[in-house]
Structure formats: structure tokens, C-alpha cells
mmCIF file of all heavy atoms in Angstrom:
data_model
loop_
_atom_site.group_PDB
_atom_site.id
_atom_site.type_symbol
_atom_site.label_atom_id
_atom_site.label_comp_id
_atom_site.label_asym_id
_atom_site.label_seq_id
_atom_site.Cartn_x
_atom_site.Cartn_y
_atom_site.Cartn_z
ATOM 1 N N MET A 1032 18.563 18.041 5.322
ATOM 2 C CA MET A 1032 17.386 17.418 4.666
ATOM 3 C C MET A 1032 17.634 17.094 3.199
ATOM 4 O O MET A 1032 17.299 17.826 2.305
ATOM 5 C CB MET A 1032 16.183 18.334 4.758
ATOM 6 C CG MET A 1032 15.664 18.618 6.131
ATOM 7 S SD MET A 1032 14.892 17.057 6.877
ATOM 8 C CE MET A 1032 14.235 17.733 8.467
ATOM 9 N N THR A 1033 18.259 15.971 2.966
ATOM 10 C CA THR A 1033 18.565 15.622 1.617
ATOM 11 C C THR A 1033 17.437 14.714 1.127
ATOM 12 O O THR A 1033 17.649 13.579 0.655
ATOM 13 C CB THR A 1033 19.873 14.864 1.568
ATOM 14 O OG1 THR A 1033 19.900 13.816 2.541
ATOM 15 C CG2 THR A 1033 21.028 15.758 1.783
ATOM 16 N N THR A 1034 16.243 15.219 1.261
ATOM 17 C CA THR A 1034 15.041 14.457 0.780
ATOM 18 C C THR A 1034 14.863 14.485 -0.711
ATOM 19 O O THR A 1034 13.996 13.771 -1.225
ATOM 20 C CB THR A 1034 13.780 15.049 1.499
ATOM 21 O OG1 THR A 1034 13.800 16.457 1.288
ATOM 22 C CG2 THR A 1034 13.863 14.881 3.049
ATOM 23 N N GLY A 1035 15.492 15.303 -1.393
ATOM 24 C CA GLY A 1035 15.447 15.270 -2.875
ATOM 25 C C GLY A 1035 14.280 16.085 -3.393
ATOM 26 O O GLY A 1035 13.206 16.180 -2.612
ATOM 27 N N PRO A 1036 14.147 16.491 -4.595
ATOM 28 C CA PRO A 1036 12.997 17.145 -5.224
ATOM 29 C C PRO A 1036 11.993 16.218 -5.666
ATOM 30 O O PRO A 1036 10.820 16.615 -5.873
ATOM 31 C CB PRO A 1036 13.643 17.821 -6.450
ATOM 32 C CG PRO A 1036 14.873 17.073 -6.829
ATOM 33 C CD PRO A 1036 15.431 16.569 -5.528
ATOM 34 N N LEU A 1037 12.275 14.808 -5.806
ATOM 35 C CA LEU A 1037 11.292 13.853 -6.352
ATOM 36 C C LEU A 1037 11.264 12.704 -5.388
ATOM 37 O O LEU A 1037 12.012 11.768 -5.624
ATOM 38 C CB LEU A 1037 11.571 13.492 -7.755
ATOM 39 C CG LEU A 1037 11.684 14.631 -8.740
ATOM 40 C CD1 LEU A 1037 12.224 13.976 -10.095
ATOM 41 C CD2 LEU A 1037 10.296 15.176 -8.990
ATOM 42 N N SER A 1038 10.463 12.722 -4.353
ATOM 43 C CA SER A 1038 10.386 11.628 -3.403
ATOM 44 C C SER A 1038 9.100 11.328 -2.862
ATOM 45 O O SER A 1038 8.810 10.253 -2.119
ATOM 46 C CB SER A 1038 11.399 11.796 -2.253
ATOM 47 O OG SER A 1038 11.158 12.952 -1.643
ATOM 48 N N ILE A 1039 7.970 12.224 -3.090
ATOM 49 C CA ILE A 1039 6.677 12.029 -2.503
ATOM 50 C C ILE A 1039 5.705 11.668 -3.782
ATOM 51 O O ILE A 1039 5.375 12.636 -4.515
ATOM 52 C CB ILE A 1039 6.108 13.192 -1.850
ATOM 53 C CG1 ILE A 1039 7.122 13.522 -0.563
ATOM 54 C CG2 ILE A 1039 4.789 12.957 -1.227
ATOM 55 C CD1 ILE A 1039 7.184 12.315 0.444
ATOM 56 N N PRO A 1040 5.447 10.465 -3.958
ATOM 57 C CA PRO A 1040 4.571 10.115 -5.136
ATOM 58 C C PRO A 1040 3.210 10.658 -5.027
ATOM 59 O O PRO A 1040 2.601 10.950 -3.976
ATOM 60 C CB PRO A 1040 4.420 8.496 -5.046
ATOM 61 C CG PRO A 1040 5.694 8.192 -4.195
ATOM 62 C CD PRO A 1040 5.784 9.253 -3.282
ATOM 63 N N LYS A 1041 2.525 10.913 -6.241
ATOM 64 C CA LYS A 1041 1.207 11.524 -6.324
ATOM 65 C C LYS A 1041 0.272 10.659 -7.132
ATOM 66 O O LYS A 1041 0.674 10.380 -8.368
ATOM 67 C CB LYS A 1041 1.329 13.032 -6.721
ATOM 68 C CG LYS A 1041 -0.103 13.637 -6.780
ATOM 69 C CD LYS A 1041 -0.024 14.940 -7.643
ATOM 70 C CE LYS A 1041 -1.322 15.560 -7.771
ATOM 71 N NZ LYS A 1041 -2.209 14.551 -8.599
ATOM 72 N N ASP A 1042 -0.844 10.313 -6.734
ATOM 73 C CA ASP A 1042 -1.830 9.674 -7.472
ATOM 74 C C ASP A 1042 -2.528 10.684 -8.298
ATOM 75 O O ASP A 1042 -2.638 11.825 -7.924
ATOM 76 C CB ASP A 1042 -2.831 8.887 -6.630
ATOM 77 C CG ASP A 1042 -2.269 7.527 -6.166
ATOM 78 O OD1 ASP A 1042 -1.203 7.163 -6.729
ATOM 79 O OD2 ASP A 1042 -2.884 6.829 -5.329
ATOM 80 N N PRO A 1043 -3.273 10.289 -9.363
ATOM 81 C CA PRO A 1043 -4.123 11.195 -10.195
ATOM 82 C C PRO A 1043 -5.306 11.604 -9.306
ATOM 83 O O PRO A 1043 -5.776 10.774 -8.602
ATOM 84 C CB PRO A 1043 -4.342 10.393 -11.538
ATOM 85 C CG PRO A 1043 -4.306 8.932 -11.061
ATOM 86 C CD PRO A 1043 -3.237 8.980 -10.070
ATOM 87 N N ASP A 1044 -5.842 12.710 -9.734
ATOM 88 C CA ASP A 1044 -7.073 13.166 -8.972
ATOM 89 C C ASP A 1044 -8.319 12.619 -9.778
ATOM 90 O O ASP A 1044 -9.058 13.357 -10.475
ATOM 91 C CB ASP A 1044 -7.126 14.673 -8.953
ATOM 92 C CG ASP A 1044 -6.022 15.175 -8.111
ATOM 93 O OD1 ASP A 1044 -5.816 14.648 -6.952
ATOM 94 O OD2 ASP A 1044 -5.423 16.237 -8.355
ATOM 95 N N ILE A 1045 -8.556 11.333 -9.657
ATOM 96 C CA ILE A 1045 -9.607 10.662 -10.448
ATOM 97 C C ILE A 1045 -10.461 9.870 -9.298
ATOM 98 O O ILE A 1045 -9.754 9.086 -8.597
ATOM 99 C CB ILE A 1045 -9.113 9.696 -11.508
ATOM 100 C CG1 ILE A 1045 -8.291 10.432 -12.508
ATOM 101 C CG2 ILE A 1045 -10.159 8.981 -12.184
ATOM 102 C CD1 ILE A 1045 -7.541 9.626 -13.530
ATOM 103 N N PRO A 1046 -11.650 9.933 -9.264
ATOM 104 C CA PRO A 1046 -12.509 9.105 -8.320
ATOM 105 C C PRO A 1046 -12.511 7.619 -8.694
ATOM 106 O O PRO A 1046 -12.413 7.246 -9.841
ATOM 107 C CB PRO A 1046 -13.985 9.541 -8.560
ATOM 108 C CG PRO A 1046 -13.868 10.327 -9.796
ATOM 109 C CD PRO A 1046 -12.608 10.838 -10.106
ATOM 110 N N GLY A 1047 -12.577 6.828 -7.621
ATOM 111 C CA GLY A 1047 -12.805 5.344 -7.847
ATOM 112 C C GLY A 1047 -11.379 4.561 -7.750
ATOM 113 O O GLY A 1047 -11.481 3.336 -7.996
ATOM 114 N N ILE A 1048 -10.274 5.134 -7.499
ATOM 115 C CA ILE A 1048 -9.001 4.515 -7.379
ATOM 116 C C ILE A 1048 -9.127 3.130 -6.586
ATOM 117 O O ILE A 1048 -8.639 2.193 -7.010
ATOM 118 C CB ILE A 1048 -7.795 5.355 -6.938
ATOM 119 C CG1 ILE A 1048 -7.624 6.425 -7.962
ATOM 120 C CG2 ILE A 1048 -6.607 4.443 -6.760
ATOM 121 C CD1 ILE A 1048 -6.541 7.385 -7.576
ATOM 122 N N ASP A 1049 -9.739 3.226 -5.457
ATOM 123 C CA ASP A 1049 -9.814 2.109 -4.541
ATOM 124 C C ASP A 1049 -10.777 1.022 -5.058
ATOM 125 O O ASP A 1049 -10.731 -0.114 -4.527
ATOM 126 C CB ASP A 1049 -10.343 2.538 -3.167
ATOM 127 C CG ASP A 1049 -9.311 3.487 -2.529
ATOM 128 O OD1 ASP A 1049 -8.089 3.360 -2.898
ATOM 129 O OD2 ASP A 1049 -9.676 4.211 -1.592
ATOM 130 N N LYS A 1050 -11.513 1.374 -6.046
ATOM 131 C CA LYS A 1050 -12.410 0.316 -6.600
ATOM 132 C C LYS A 1050 -11.809 -0.806 -7.456
ATOM 133 O O LYS A 1050 -12.330 -1.889 -7.500
ATOM 134 C CB LYS A 1050 -13.637 1.001 -7.344
ATOM 135 C CG LYS A 1050 -14.581 1.988 -6.495
ATOM 136 C CD LYS A 1050 -15.621 2.492 -7.503
ATOM 137 C CE LYS A 1050 -16.507 3.489 -6.699
ATOM 138 N NZ LYS A 1050 -17.454 4.104 -7.673
ATOM 139 N N PHE A 1051 -10.788 -0.394 -8.109
ATOM 140 C CA PHE A 1051 -10.141 -1.283 -9.161
ATOM 141 C C PHE A 1051 -9.767 -2.546 -8.608
ATOM 142 O O PHE A 1051 -8.982 -2.661 -7.596
ATOM 143 C CB PHE A 1051 -8.959 -0.555 -9.778
ATOM 144 C CG PHE A 1051 -8.377 -1.400 -10.956
ATOM 145 C CD1 PHE A 1051 -9.022 -1.625 -12.079
ATOM 146 C CD2 PHE A 1051 -6.998 -1.730 -10.879
ATOM 147 C CE1 PHE A 1051 -8.649 -2.260 -13.021
ATOM 148 C CE2 PHE A 1051 -6.466 -2.495 -11.933
ATOM 149 C CZ PHE A 1051 -7.274 -2.729 -13.077
ATOM 150 N N LYS A 1052 -10.309 -3.669 -9.103
ATOM 151 C CA LYS A 1052 -9.988 -5.060 -8.719
ATOM 152 C C LYS A 1052 -8.754 -5.645 -9.411
ATOM 153 O O LYS A 1052 -8.385 -6.788 -8.932
ATOM 154 C CB LYS A 1052 -11.185 -5.948 -8.957
ATOM 155 C CG LYS A 1052 -12.521 -5.453 -8.251
ATOM 156 C CD LYS A 1052 -12.331 -5.496 -6.770
ATOM 157 C CE LYS A 1052 -13.743 -5.212 -6.121
ATOM 158 N NZ LYS A 1052 -13.538 -5.202 -4.576
ATOM 159 N N GLY A 1053 -8.284 -5.060 -10.411
ATOM 160 C CA GLY A 1053 -7.166 -5.576 -11.046
ATOM 161 C C GLY A 1053 -5.893 -5.262 -10.286
ATOM 162 O O GLY A 1053 -5.882 -4.867 -9.205
ATOM 163 N N LEU A 1054 -4.689 -5.408 -10.950
ATOM 164 C CA LEU A 1054 -3.292 -5.127 -10.385
ATOM 165 C C LEU A 1054 -3.127 -3.622 -10.658
ATOM 166 O O LEU A 1054 -3.074 -3.183 -11.791
ATOM 167 C CB LEU A 1054 -2.332 -6.047 -11.143
ATOM 168 C CG LEU A 1054 -0.825 -5.642 -10.609
ATOM 169 C CD1 LEU A 1054 -0.802 -5.941 -9.127
ATOM 170 C CD2 LEU A 1054 0.134 -6.601 -11.457
ATOM 171 N N LEU A 1055 -3.048 -2.925 -9.572
ATOM 172 C CA LEU A 1055 -2.682 -1.348 -9.607
ATOM 173 C C LEU A 1055 -1.225 -1.239 -9.308
ATOM 174 O O LEU A 1055 -0.741 -1.628 -8.266
ATOM 175 C CB LEU A 1055 -3.551 -0.679 -8.613
ATOM 176 C CG LEU A 1055 -3.267 0.918 -8.548
ATOM 177 C CD1 LEU A 1055 -3.565 1.570 -9.966
ATOM 178 C CD2 LEU A 1055 -4.172 1.545 -7.510
ATOM 179 N N LEU A 1056 -0.543 -0.614 -10.223
ATOM 180 C CA LEU A 1056 0.947 -0.341 -10.076
ATOM 181 C C LEU A 1056 1.265 1.079 -10.183
ATOM 182 O O LEU A 1056 0.657 1.849 -11.084
ATOM 183 C CB LEU A 1056 1.723 -1.142 -11.234
ATOM 184 C CG LEU A 1056 1.582 -2.589 -11.300
ATOM 185 C CD1 LEU A 1056 2.227 -3.161 -12.472
ATOM 186 C CD2 LEU A 1056 2.136 -3.223 -9.986
ATOM 187 N N ARG A 1057 2.048 1.575 -9.288
ATOM 188 C CA ARG A 1057 2.580 2.935 -9.259
ATOM 189 C C ARG A 1057 3.967 2.961 -9.816
ATOM 190 O O ARG A 1057 4.845 2.210 -9.136
ATOM 191 C CB ARG A 1057 2.404 3.619 -8.024
ATOM 192 C CG ARG A 1057 0.919 3.770 -7.515
ATOM 193 C CD ARG A 1057 0.768 4.170 -6.104
ATOM 194 N NE ARG A 1057 -0.575 4.488 -5.774
ATOM 195 C CZ ARG A 1057 -1.513 3.616 -5.434
ATOM 196 N NH1 ARG A 1057 -1.148 2.346 -5.342
ATOM 197 N NH2 ARG A 1057 -2.747 4.048 -5.153
ATOM 198 N N ALA A 1058 4.385 3.708 -10.799
ATOM 199 C CA ALA A 1058 5.787 3.769 -11.229
ATOM 200 C C ALA A 1058 6.912 4.119 -10.134
ATOM 201 O O ALA A 1058 7.899 3.614 -10.137
ATOM 202 C CB ALA A 1058 5.858 4.723 -12.391
ATOM 203 N N GLN A 1059 6.354 4.968 -9.215
ATOM 204 C CA GLN A 1059 7.179 5.519 -8.256
ATOM 205 C C GLN A 1059 7.558 4.457 -7.021
ATOM 206 O O GLN A 1059 8.588 4.701 -6.371
ATOM 207 C CB GLN A 1059 6.770 6.783 -7.628
ATOM 208 C CG GLN A 1059 6.347 7.833 -8.730
ATOM 209 C CD GLN A 1059 4.873 7.728 -8.994
ATOM 210 O OE1 GLN A 1059 4.273 6.735 -9.118
ATOM 211 N NE2 GLN A 1059 4.223 8.928 -9.351
ATOM 212 N N THR A 1060 6.679 3.584 -6.972
ATOM 213 C CA THR A 1060 6.918 2.437 -5.907
ATOM 214 C C THR A 1060 6.655 1.026 -6.543
ATOM 215 O O THR A 1060 5.833 0.313 -6.037
ATOM 216 C CB THR A 1060 5.898 2.674 -4.774
ATOM 217 O OG1 THR A 1060 4.593 2.717 -5.187
ATOM 218 C CG2 THR A 1060 6.191 4.013 -3.965
ATOM 219 N N TRP A 1061 7.403 0.867 -7.519
ATOM 220 C CA TRP A 1061 7.264 -0.374 -8.324
ATOM 221 C C TRP A 1061 7.649 -1.630 -7.531
ATOM 222 O O TRP A 1061 8.605 -1.579 -6.737
ATOM 223 C CB TRP A 1061 8.065 -0.311 -9.704
ATOM 224 C CG TRP A 1061 7.667 -1.256 -10.674
ATOM 225 C CD1 TRP A 1061 8.168 -2.455 -10.903
ATOM 226 C CD2 TRP A 1061 6.601 -1.014 -11.713
ATOM 227 N NE1 TRP A 1061 7.446 -3.096 -11.998
ATOM 228 C CE2 TRP A 1061 6.476 -2.249 -12.553
ATOM 229 C CE3 TRP A 1061 5.679 -0.089 -11.884
ATOM 230 C CZ2 TRP A 1061 5.639 -2.361 -13.475
ATOM 231 C CZ3 TRP A 1061 4.675 -0.248 -12.960
ATOM 232 C CH2 TRP A 1061 4.760 -1.371 -13.721
ATOM 233 N N PRO A 1062 7.010 -2.767 -7.646
ATOM 234 C CA PRO A 1062 7.329 -4.045 -6.986
ATOM 235 C C PRO A 1062 8.765 -4.368 -7.311
ATOM 236 O O PRO A 1062 9.240 -4.248 -8.365
ATOM 237 C CB PRO A 1062 6.461 -5.072 -7.551
ATOM 238 C CG PRO A 1062 5.214 -4.229 -8.104
ATOM 239 C CD PRO A 1062 5.741 -3.051 -8.598
ATOM 240 N N HIS A 1063 9.392 -5.051 -6.360
ATOM 241 C CA HIS A 1063 10.797 -5.554 -6.605
ATOM 242 C C HIS A 1063 10.865 -6.757 -7.404
ATOM 243 O O HIS A 1063 11.795 -7.110 -7.964
ATOM 244 C CB HIS A 1063 11.500 -5.606 -5.214
ATOM 245 C CG HIS A 1063 11.706 -4.434 -4.488
ATOM 246 N ND1 HIS A 1063 12.807 -4.393 -3.577
ATOM 247 C CD2 HIS A 1063 11.293 -3.127 -4.647
ATOM 248 C CE1 HIS A 1063 12.887 -3.124 -3.089
ATOM 249 N NE2 HIS A 1063 11.920 -2.440 -3.751
ATOM 250 N N GLU A 1064 9.643 -7.517 -7.505
ATOM 251 C CA GLU A 1064 9.660 -8.734 -8.322
ATOM 252 C C GLU A 1064 9.113 -8.342 -9.670
ATOM 253 O O GLU A 1064 8.408 -7.457 -9.915
ATOM 254 C CB GLU A 1064 8.735 -9.774 -7.649
ATOM 255 C CG GLU A 1064 7.271 -9.316 -7.483
ATOM 256 C CD GLU A 1064 7.037 -8.588 -6.234
ATOM 257 O OE1 GLU A 1064 8.044 -8.186 -5.550
ATOM 258 O OE2 GLU A 1064 5.857 -8.164 -5.931
ATOM 259 N N PRO A 1065 9.590 -9.172 -10.684
ATOM 260 C CA PRO A 1065 9.072 -8.901 -12.087
ATOM 261 C C PRO A 1065 7.579 -8.982 -12.241
ATOM 262 O O PRO A 1065 6.889 -9.716 -11.488
ATOM 263 C CB PRO A 1065 9.679 -10.040 -12.830
ATOM 264 C CG PRO A 1065 10.902 -10.602 -11.930
ATOM 265 C CD PRO A 1065 10.394 -10.366 -10.593
ATOM 266 N N VAL A 1066 7.091 -8.304 -13.128
ATOM 267 C CA VAL A 1066 5.642 -8.152 -13.514
ATOM 268 C C VAL A 1066 5.461 -8.596 -14.874
ATOM 269 O O VAL A 1066 6.188 -8.125 -15.887
ATOM 270 C CB VAL A 1066 5.040 -6.752 -13.312
ATOM 271 C CG1 VAL A 1066 3.662 -6.675 -13.773
ATOM 272 C CG2 VAL A 1066 5.193 -6.276 -11.774
ATOM 273 N N SER A 1067 4.763 -9.631 -15.129
ATOM 274 C CA SER A 1067 4.366 -10.049 -16.516
ATOM 275 C C SER A 1067 3.225 -9.275 -17.192
ATOM 276 O O SER A 1067 2.125 -9.194 -16.480
ATOM 277 C CB SER A 1067 4.094 -11.501 -16.520
ATOM 278 O OG SER A 1067 3.774 -11.994 -17.847
ATOM 279 N N PHE A 1068 3.343 -8.781 -18.328
ATOM 280 C CA PHE A 1068 2.317 -8.178 -19.198
ATOM 281 C C PHE A 1068 1.768 -9.014 -20.264
ATOM 282 O O PHE A 1068 0.912 -8.484 -20.978
ATOM 283 C CB PHE A 1068 2.856 -6.828 -19.724
ATOM 284 C CG PHE A 1068 3.336 -5.859 -18.629
ATOM 285 C CD1 PHE A 1068 4.670 -5.785 -18.306
ATOM 286 C CD2 PHE A 1068 2.410 -5.141 -17.885
ATOM 287 C CE1 PHE A 1068 5.142 -4.874 -17.286
ATOM 288 C CE2 PHE A 1068 2.858 -4.255 -16.840
ATOM 289 C CZ PHE A 1068 4.269 -4.169 -16.555
ATOM 290 N N GLU A 1069 2.384 -10.193 -20.449
ATOM 291 C CA GLU A 1069 2.093 -10.944 -21.655
ATOM 292 C C GLU A 1069 0.484 -11.285 -21.568
ATOM 293 O O GLU A 1069 -0.027 -11.818 -20.608
ATOM 294 C CB GLU A 1069 2.871 -12.194 -21.582
ATOM 295 C CG GLU A 1069 2.566 -13.052 -22.904
ATOM 296 C CD GLU A 1069 3.643 -14.261 -22.946
ATOM 297 O OE1 GLU A 1069 4.509 -14.375 -21.935
ATOM 298 O OE2 GLU A 1069 3.448 -15.084 -23.764
ATOM 299 N N GLY A 1070 -0.137 -11.022 -22.684
ATOM 300 C CA GLY A 1070 -1.551 -11.255 -22.845
ATOM 301 C C GLY A 1070 -2.422 -10.506 -21.959
ATOM 302 O O GLY A 1070 -3.752 -10.661 -22.062
ATOM 303 N N LYS A 1071 -1.979 -9.427 -21.309
ATOM 304 C CA LYS A 1071 -2.713 -8.630 -20.469
ATOM 305 C C LYS A 1071 -3.256 -7.325 -21.147
ATOM 306 O O LYS A 1071 -2.533 -6.767 -21.956
ATOM 307 C CB LYS A 1071 -1.895 -8.217 -19.124
ATOM 308 C CG LYS A 1071 -1.310 -9.358 -18.382
ATOM 309 C CD LYS A 1071 -2.359 -10.232 -17.708
ATOM 310 C CE LYS A 1071 -1.825 -11.252 -16.802
ATOM 311 N NZ LYS A 1071 -2.782 -12.175 -16.140
ATOM 312 N N ARG A 1072 -4.425 -6.857 -20.598
ATOM 313 C CA ARG A 1072 -4.892 -5.592 -21.048
ATOM 314 C C ARG A 1072 -4.392 -4.535 -19.989
ATOM 315 O O ARG A 1072 -4.818 -4.558 -18.856
ATOM 316 C CB ARG A 1072 -6.394 -5.606 -21.163
ATOM 317 C CG ARG A 1072 -6.944 -6.415 -22.304
ATOM 318 C CD ARG A 1072 -8.477 -6.705 -22.172
ATOM 319 N NE ARG A 1072 -9.179 -5.362 -22.223
ATOM 320 C CZ ARG A 1072 -9.666 -4.745 -23.257
ATOM 321 N NH1 ARG A 1072 -9.365 -5.373 -24.460
ATOM 322 N NH2 ARG A 1072 -10.329 -3.648 -23.184
ATOM 323 N N VAL A 1073 -3.553 -3.633 -20.555
ATOM 324 C CA VAL A 1073 -2.880 -2.692 -19.511
ATOM 325 C C VAL A 1073 -3.288 -1.295 -19.894
ATOM 326 O O VAL A 1073 -3.408 -0.865 -21.053
ATOM 327 C CB VAL A 1073 -1.329 -2.789 -19.731
ATOM 328 C CG1 VAL A 1073 -0.643 -1.883 -18.756
ATOM 329 C CG2 VAL A 1073 -0.783 -4.312 -19.493
#
């Protein structure tokens, strides 16, 4: 079992995560395509 010590991502324990209508990104499963932050409120 070479599953490693860091391989199961964890979301914060905050209500309402599914409500957010903007772009939700998780550092541990980041998109393979580039993400632009120019002019965005992050």
C-alpha cells in the first residue's frame, strides 16, 4: 500500500460549499489547464 501520507484531500468544515456559483478550485486536485486570475476577485 504505497498510498502515501498525503493523498486524500479534505474540504474545510464550512457550510454552504455547494452554494457557491463562481469557480471553486481545490489545490490538491487543480485543473490541468491554465487558470486566469487577471481582474478576478479571488
Side-chain angles (χ1 to χ4, degrees):
M1032 295 292 191
T1033 51
T1034 49
L1037 300 174
S1038 57
I1039 300 297
K1041 182 193 172 298
D1042 279 352
D1044 295 317
I1045 301 172
I1048 291 175
D1049 295 336
K1050 295 180 182 178
F1051 184 60
K1052 299 297 185 182
L1054 177 61
L1055 177 61
L1056 300 171
R1057 294 169 173 85
Q1059 309 94 327
T1060 53
W1061 199 264
H1063 288 204
E1064 61 275 4
V1066 177
S1067 174
F1068 300 99
E1069 187 174 353
K1071 304 292 186 181
R1072 291 170 58 89
V1073 182

